[in-house]
Amino acid sequence: MKHHQHRINAVEVDNACGMLIVAWDDGMRKSFHPLWLRDNCHCSNCRHPNGQKLIDVSDLPAGVRVAAATRDGGGDGVRLCFAPDGHAARFDAAWLRDFAADAAPSKKLWDAEALSMDMVAREYAAVAGGSEALGEWLALILRYGFAVLRGAPTEPAKPATVCAVVEWFGYVRETNYGKLFEVKAVAEPNNLAFTDLGLAVHTDNPYRDPPPALQLLHCLKNTATGGDSMVVDGFKAAQILQRENAAHYDALARHAVPFQFRDRTSDRGADLQNRLPVLEVATDATRKLHAVNFNNRALGAIDIALDAQAEYYAAYRHFAEILRRDDRTVRFKMRAGDLFIVDNRRVLHGRAGFTSGDRHLQGCYADADALLSTWRILNTRSP
Ligand code: OGA
Ligand code: ZN
Ligand code: ZN
């Protein structure tokens, strides 16, 4: 992963402001603020061996400047002396160049044509058995927001297979549905998922704060007629919406709407409510799409101003219509031993209705941070 082996050619201090200017052997030049350098000093006074900072930001000397800078180790680093207190520091060439790099796989958006099940499906036994195969499977989730295991056990297990798969990389997120939930048609369903009805593509549980970032479903039995599964890349659909009608995209990003789930059948009961925009974009200047929240079953009464409602409904219906298009939708049948995981902030899932026969899935949720952490551990060679 580490591809920045560039050496430092020259270092220079701008005496007017105490900035450090570094030039690398490929012509790249970067300037560094003295406060920033001092804040990021890696010496044993400034950092514990575990990497955590020992100094407080308010302890940085006022008016700190770089007093002197020299190349070190033939260009693989730079030595600094700070004024006014003479503090000494050394920085690696690679670290200065690449301090913020996160090598996580970038998202590849897809539609029905671009994604085949074979691209994202791996054998359960291989991924269970090897850290390299696990690293690759996690990379599929990060890249496509959707990955599959085939050949998982089909006997109910304790702990359930679907929870054991989460433990490979992270932690099960428990909810009012339990650590594990059984997806099958029952007599008094508190959720339409537990019927034989079709479920239009949706993201799960936008009524939680935050919604679950990952969802897994594992098929133990499926002899039903129908019940085929569907997944849609919500980020791709949002991109299409923006191209077809930028005002519609903006409307879905600008207005938060209420999502809710109510259940009085269990002892504790549940009355979960959250407000989120259907298209959740970063609040910083990038306005980058962060998550799609789409679940018409769980959408409450839209409470935006009357004069904005016509436009809002036009936008919401337009997005829903894009999500239903055949060219967006990857369809597949879950067979006993199949398991899929979705990035629930990006990829929508659904199922067709079913009749006759038995259909039994087990599901659970997990957070995304542990998945990324495990991917980094598996994919970063130690120096
Ligand atoms: C769910 C769900 C899909 C299915 O349980 O969240 O969407 O295939 N189920 O039953
Ligand atoms: Zn220091
Ligand atoms: Zn669902």
Side-chain angles (χ1 to χ4, degrees):
M1 278 302 145
K2 280 263 172 273
H3 40 268
H4 302 301
Q5 304 297 354
H6 291 289
R7 293 187 164 268
I8 291 174
N9 261 1
V11 293
E12 201 183 309
V13 180
D14 180 333
N15 284 321
C17 53
M19 290 253 201
L20 174 72
I21 304 159
V22 177
W24 279 267
D25 55 8
D26 62 342
M28 185 184 202
R29 279 172 76 85
K30 276 171 96 170
S31 296
F32 298 92
H33 195 279
L35 260 176
W36 183 93
L37 287 164
R38 185 57 181 275
D39 189 27
N40 287 290
C41 180
H42 282 67
C43 84
S44 59
N45 288 321
C46 296
R47 297 274 173 145
H48 190 272
N50 69 13
Q52 294 205 313
K53 276 182 191 168
L54 295 167
I55 47 162
D56 201 85
V57 67
S58 53
D59 295 335
L60 299 174
V64 68
R65 294 180 297 112
V66 177
T70 49
R71 273 171 84 235
D72 185 50
D76 65 7
V78 55
R79 287 194 181 278
L80 302 182
C81 180
F82 290 98
D85 59 353
H87 193 85
R90 185 189 185 280
F91 289 90
D92 276 343
W95 191 85
L96 279 180
R97 196 177 160 107
D98 202 23
F99 55 87
D102 182 351
S106 52
K107 290 185 170 69
K108 285 204 169 65
L109 306 191
W110 48 266
D111 54 21
E113 207 178 278
L115 188 126
S116 70
M117 291 299 283
D118 285 341
M119 276 164 62
V120 296
R122 297 292 182 267
E123 284 303 314
Y124 173 89
V127 178
S131 61
E132 196 173 326
L134 175 60
E136 283 168 17
W137 192 66
L138 299 181
L140 293 172
I141 304 165
L142 296 168
R143 196 170 289 130
Y144 300 110
F146 172 59
V148 174
L149 291 175
R150 288 178 174 146
T154 56
E155 292 304 316
K158 263 194 181 341
T161 298
V162 69
C163 297
V165 167
V166 170
E167 298 289 332
W168 296 348
F169 62 79
Y171 311 92
V172 171
R173 176 156 167 215
E174 188 171 5
T175 70
N176 57 297
Y177 301 116
K179 286 192 168 69
L180 171 77
F181 47 89
E182 310 282 343
V183 183
K184 55 183 173 189
V186 298
E188 285 185 36
N190 64 2
N191 190 309
L192 292 182
F194 312 137
T195 68
D196 57 8
L197 297 172
L199 301 174
V201 292
H202 60 277
T203 59
D204 258 47
N205 298 195
Y207 41 79
R208 289 186 205 291
D209 183 14
L214 297 166
Q215 179 177 9
L216 297 89
L217 285 169
H218 169 218
C219 180
L220 297 168
K221 188 163 192 190
N222 191 2
T223 57
T225 307
D228 285 9
S229 304
M230 300 164 272
V231 286
V232 173
D233 186 344
F235 276 31
K236 181 75 184 188
Q239 194 181 66
I240 289 168
L241 178 70
Q242 191 167 36
R243 282 193 201 135
E244 291 182 357
N245 191 325
H248 283 173
Y249 181 99
D250 289 343
L252 295 187
R254 208 168 50 241
H255 298 286
V257 290
F259 292 98
Q260 64 189 38
F261 176 77
R262 296 202 169 102
D263 174 23
R264 293 290 152 88
T265 66
S266 61
D267 284 350
R268 188 187 302 189
D271 189 344
L272 291 156
Q273 305 188 25
N274 192 19
R275 301 182 56 85
L276 289 169
V278 170
L279 299 180
E280 211 178 322
V281 301
T283 50
D284 66 16
T286 65
R287 304 288 288 161
K288 241 176 100 165
L289 184 60
H290 175 68
V292 172
N293 302 293
F294 189 95
N295 191 324
N296 200 54
R297 265 180 295 154
L299 181 63
I302 292 173
D303 52 358
I304 58 183
L306 184 61
D307 63 0
Q309 285 188 10
E311 158 108 304
Y312 190 82
Y313 268 103
Y316 182 48
R317 285 157 62 95
H318 184 183
F319 190 49
E321 179 264 313
I322 292 170
L323 291 170
R324 281 216 309 255
R325 289 180 192 166
D326 273 341
D327 60 348
R328 299 286 108 236
T329 310
V330 171
R331 281 169 215 280
F332 57 100
K333 177 134 192 159
M334 292 279 271
R335 310 212 176 264
D338 289 349
L339 178 155
F340 77 73
I341 180 168
V342 282
D343 172 349
N344 187 54
R345 313 305 320 273
R346 167 181 169 193
V347 170
L348 298 84
H349 65 281
R351 69 156 190 247
F354 55 94
T355 52
S356 68
D358 260 357
R359 186 177 187 276
H360 180 200
L361 313 185
Q362 290 184 321
C364 69
Y365 300 114
D367 296 325
D369 53 356
L371 187 152
L372 257 167
S373 167
T374 303
W375 181 87
R376 290 190 192 102
I377 297 285
L378 293 174
N379 285 275
T380 316
R381 280 176 270 288
S382 17

